[in-house]
């Protein structure tokens, strides 16, 4: 791979950043965060099997699918700048193969339940395995074993 001039990399970054509708992206992400803040995992959203994308968009209050191209452009450029160039459109192609209504609804509800149950702040206390150990203890034991065998 030929080295790029820093000026060219900056110019490419600005071109990508200029294509992003930052106001809309920020507004949509705040709307999603607001829905997740109010989410009650005991009452997950009702999903219409005939139109799960519409159900999920109604729950979050934004068109989730429209966010994807902007986020994938930023991600691909970030990876390229970090020295991990991908052929143009790789992430979009990967997302299109996995981004069907069924997967979208499942992932959306799973994320909302995870966030709503506050599991993301209980790594030191919530049990994660059959013995009832919390995640931090499991990680600590795993690291200690790796260090001992090294």
């Amino acid at each position: 791979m030929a080295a790029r001039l820093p000026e060219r990399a900056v110019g490419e970054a600005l071109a990508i950043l200029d294509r992003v509708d930052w106001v809309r992206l920020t507004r949509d992400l705040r709307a999603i965060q607001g829905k997740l803040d109010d989410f009650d995992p005991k009452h997950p959203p009702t999903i219409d099997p005939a139109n799960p994308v519409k159900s999920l968009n109604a729950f979050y209050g934004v068109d989730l699918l429209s966010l994807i191209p902007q986020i994938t452009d930023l991600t691909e450029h970030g990876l390229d700048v970090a020295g991990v160039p991908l052929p143009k459109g790789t992430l979009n192609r990967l997302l299109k193969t996995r981004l069907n209504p069924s997967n979208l609804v499942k992932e959306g509800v799973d994320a909302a339940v995870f966030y709503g149950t506050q599991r993301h702040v209980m790594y030191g206390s919530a049990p994660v395995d059959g013995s009832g150990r919390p995640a931090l203890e499991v990680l600590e034991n795993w690291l200690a074993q790796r260090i001992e065998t090294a």
Side-chain angles (χ1 to χ4, degrees):
M1 179 173 101
R4 280 189 284 172
L5 296 173
E7 298 85 4
R8 181 179 169 121
V10 169
E12 290 172 357
L14 291 175
I16 295 286
L17 295 174
D18 188 49
R19 291 194 313 241
V20 175
D21 182 348
W22 292 102
V23 173
R24 179 174 170 247
L25 186 61
T26 302
R27 183 190 68 231
D28 288 352
L29 291 175
R30 283 185 180 150
I32 292 169
Q33 181 180 359
K35 288 288 187 175
L36 291 175
D37 286 343
D38 296 333
F39 179 74
D40 179 358
K42 295 175 187 157
H43 301 96
T46 303
I47 305 299
D48 176 4
N51 198 341
V53 172
K54 182 178 178 185
S55 299
L56 198 59
N57 287 349
F59 172 73
Y60 283 113
V62 300
D63 179 2
L64 294 173
L65 293 175
S66 69
L67 296 174
I68 292 168
Q70 293 184 59
I71 293 172
T72 56
D73 277 353
L74 289 170
T75 304
E76 282 185 351
H77 182 72
L79 288 170
D80 189 43
V81 168
V84 185
L86 296 175
K88 183 124 180 83
T90 299
L91 292 179
N92 276 320
R93 282 191 300 281
L94 287 172
L95 286 172
K96 285 179 185 171
T97 59
R98 298 262 333 208
L99 195 60
N100 61 52
S102 175
N103 285 344
L104 181 65
V105 169
K106 180 189 177 310
E107 294 297 326
V109 171
D110 286 351
V113 168
F114 177 75
Y115 188 85
T117 58
Q118 297 292 304
R119 290 183 193 142
H120 63 290
V121 296
M122 300 181 343
Y123 294 118
S125 60
V128 295
D129 65 4
S131 70
R133 298 179 305 162
L136 291 177
E137 185 178 330
V138 171
L139 178 61
E140 176 186 334
N141 291 340
W142 182 83
L143 288 171
Q145 286 176 338
R146 296 305 175 272
I147 291 169
E148 288 174 6
T149 59

